[in-house]
Amino acid sequence: MAFQIVPVQAEHKPAIRTLLMQTDFFRADEIEVAMELIDDTLARQGHLTPEDYHIFVATQACEVLGYVCFGKTPLTDSTYDLYWIAVAPHMQSRGIGTRLFEFSCQEIRKQGGTLLVIETSSQPKYEPTCKFYEKVGCTLEARIKNFYRLGDDKLIYTKPL
Amino acid sequence: MAFQIVPVQAEHKPAIRTLLMQTDFFRADEIEVAMELIDDTLARQGHLTPEDYHIFVATQACEVLGYVCFGKTPLTDSTYDLYWIAVAPHMQSRGIGTRLFEFSCQEIRKQGGTLLVIETSSQPKYEPTCKFYEKVGCTLEARIKNFYRLGDDKLIYTKPL
């Protein structure tokens, strides 16, 4: 399907908030963090360094279909974190997440990145997320048991770029 | 040997900077980060939440022998990060690091923490650091290959509290 990937703009904010709420994958405090990161990015747009949060939106007409946020990991040579990637529930399974992911990898390579790291949770509700990361070429490299809470491990996926 | 462990104070700052430089384990930019965290902690002392940086100093008379910095990991229930622990080179191998570590574990337990996470580098110069973590009961739980740079992995130690 046809859509564009563009740098985040202020007018995307309400739609991103709605999208994050609709996916049912993010807690209220996590969504507030995501919104603050967007404000930071908007305030620095045009002057972004690799360490800043880089946020892009998949749009079609004026609709926000998905969004992605990545940035260089502090104190590393060329490692990047994929902090957030989300697609509106009614637009999933159409390749939007994959395109956002591949776009991010390209952007990171352009910036000189050589390794992508993604952290997620072992909760059963994140199984589709994990399958997505595996489908786009990431490897489950490490697990920190009981990291988020008892029985909820941190999974660390990586992809060399 | 006899020394006290006390909350960091402004007058400790020059000695902590010297100590971090002397250990030869930290880069200039890392030391600047450590100094900024001390300023943040001093500004919030008396109003610290678990998520803040908690910084304590081992002192004897007016000398700073070592320091430790920990805090609750955001978005987790009861996981804490040990961000920094360092002992002045001429005071090492006298149990100061172990006491600072055990003191931190106690403080974290008091705050309700159940898991301690420590990240370090696989560079050969950090071998004594890794041996220290193992000696005080931590387990090497995960490794992210080439995280800091090619050939320099991130090692993640944990200790249930």
Side-chain angles (χ1 to χ4, degrees), chain B residues 3-161:
Chain B
F3 58 89
Q4 287 189 294
I5 297 177
V6 298
V8 69
Q9 289 159 34
E11 61 260 37
H12 297 139
K13 276 181 63 185
I16 295 175
R17 183 191 289 271
T18 303
L19 181 161
L20 290 175
M21 287 167 64
Q22 286 174 341
T23 62
D24 200 30
F25 278 154
F26 306 103
R27 295 200 313 245
D29 56 338
E30 295 173 319
I31 294 175
E32 288 318 306
V33 171
M35 292 296 119
E36 285 167 23
L37 301 189
I38 294 174
D39 289 333
D40 288 354
T41 297
L42 291 170
R44 297 172 64 79
Q45 226 152 34
H47 314 274
L48 287 175
T49 66
E51 276 81 3
D52 283 311
Y53 295 98
H54 296 257
I55 304 179
F56 292 87
V57 172
T59 62
Q60 190 182 41
C62 287
E63 198 186 354
V64 171
L65 312 176
Y67 105 119
V68 65
C69 172
F70 60 83
K72 183 159 176 279
T73 315
L75 306 178
T76 68
D77 249 25
S78 53
T79 296
Y80 279 67
D81 268 295
L82 188 83
Y83 295 110
W84 304 75
I85 184 165
V87 172
H90 67 288
M91 299 304 279
Q92 288 179 4
S93 309
R94 303 181 191 202
I96 299 168
T98 302
R99 281 273 304 282
L100 278 170
F101 182 86
E102 288 169 354
F103 173 88
S104 304
C105 291
Q106 268 173 21
E107 281 294 308
I108 292 167
R109 272 191 215 101
K110 272 192 218 165
Q111 293 185 16
T114 59
L115 181 67
L116 183 65
V117 174
I118 314 172
E119 300 181 350
T120 192
S121 148
S122 68
Q123 281 180 65
K125 71 187 278 193
Y126 291 103
E127 257 174 49
T129 309
C130 296
K131 287 209 174 114
F132 170 77
Y133 294 139
E134 284 159 18
K135 194 188 73 170
V136 294
C138 300
T139 306
L140 177 59
E141 179 140 348
R143 174 190 291 263
I144 312 295
K145 286 187 293 292
N146 303 320
F147 181 82
Y148 294 109
R149 58 199 60 78
L150 207 63
D152 186 0
D153 306 345
K154 172 153 89 175
L155 308 181
I156 305 173
Y157 284 88
T158 60
K159 181 179 165 80
L161 296 176

